[in-house]
Amino acid sequence: MTVADVVSGALFAQTGKTVALSVDQLTACTNGCMGSTAQKTVGWFVENRAGAIATAESYKNDENYKQCLSIQKTTTAAIVSGVTAIKAKDEQALMEAIVKSGPIGVDIDAAPFRGYRGGLLKCTVNDTQVDDAMTVVGYNTDDKDKPYWIVKNSWGTDWGEQGYLMLAMGKQDCGASLAPWTVTVMRC
């Protein structure tokens, strides 16, 4: 789940420590796989759990993500205070945010990605059909003719290039630079 990846990245950028967050908790408490946005997910945790997100180890829900467990039964991995937008349509700002904050979330039209198997993907923007969140984990600008974003999807390692894709920068980035975001981690 993108929120877990972005929060984990922000936490690592602040502390240098890697902590696995509970995707089970994020999904169970916010209906995360059924249309919840990053803003709604983080907002729910701020309003209902004082921003506390549990460690993966302390929050294992074997009920297929159906039960939102009490925070008292978990160990807090991070406390988030909100979502921070990164300047839209500004690839330089997105690259700087990745360096500063770690992985960045993007809300995007997932249709062009469904059949992706590998290689450099180019597609036009459909900003009216945002239906998925993905994580931009890096970029490659070594080849000035073919710069690309390195994007992680939550569809598993059987999809794309072991769960990742190379997404063209520029006007063919499938909307990755339209509304990038990160989270504010208050403390760990």
Side-chain angles (χ1 to χ4, degrees):
M1 173 179 249
T2 300
V3 171
D5 291 337
V6 174
V7 172
S8 292
L11 190 59
F12 181 81
Q14 283 187 6
T15 67
K17 297 177 184 175
T18 302
V19 178
L21 300 178
S22 176
V23 173
D24 287 353
Q25 181 193 34
L26 291 166
T27 305
C29 295
T30 64
N31 205 20
C33 289
M34 300 301 282
S36 183
T37 65
Q39 292 82 357
K40 288 180 185 176
T41 299
V42 172
W44 188 93
F45 277 88
V46 169
E47 290 177 29
N48 296 286
R49 294 288 192 265
I53 300 175
T55 63
E57 185 177 311
S58 73
Y59 193 111
K60 294 178 184 170
N61 189 349
D62 295 328
E63 296 296 318
N64 296 321
Y65 309 130
K66 293 180 184 176
Q67 184 180 7
C68 183
L69 303 175
S70 167
I71 194 168
Q72 289 81 14
K73 297 179 181 180
T74 67
T75 301
T76 299
I79 296 179
V80 295
S81 62
V83 173
T84 303
I86 297 162
K87 188 175 180 183
K89 300 180 185 177
D90 186 336
E91 291 185 332
Q92 186 62 40
L94 182 51
M95 287 187 271
E96 290 170 8
I98 291 167
V99 171
K100 179 182 175 187
S101 302
I104 302 298
V106 292
D107 297 325
I108 201 162
D109 173 14
F113 305 113
R114 301 213 193 285
Y116 177 77
R117 298 280 181 248
L120 185 63
L121 179 66
K122 297 178 183 180
C123 62
T124 56
V125 176
N126 182 355
D127 59 350
T128 61
Q129 185 62 36
V130 172
D131 61 0
D132 199 5
M134 296 183 190
T135 310
V136 180
V137 298
Y139 57 89
N140 186 325
T141 57
D142 292 343
D143 183 345
K144 297 296 180 193
D145 294 329
K146 294 182 182 179
Y148 61 88
W149 301 111
I150 303 166
V151 180
K152 180 182 179 191
N153 201 344
S154 60
W155 296 348
T157 57
D158 290 339
W159 174 86
E161 296 186 34
Q162 298 181 351
Y164 292 82
L165 74 106
M166 296 184 301
L167 183 60
M169 288 183 172
K171 293 182 180 181
Q172 296 179 318
D173 74 354
C174 304
S177 62
L178 284 177
W181 52 270
T182 188
V183 294
T184 304
V185 178
M186 293 177 10
R187 73 172 178 84
C188 313

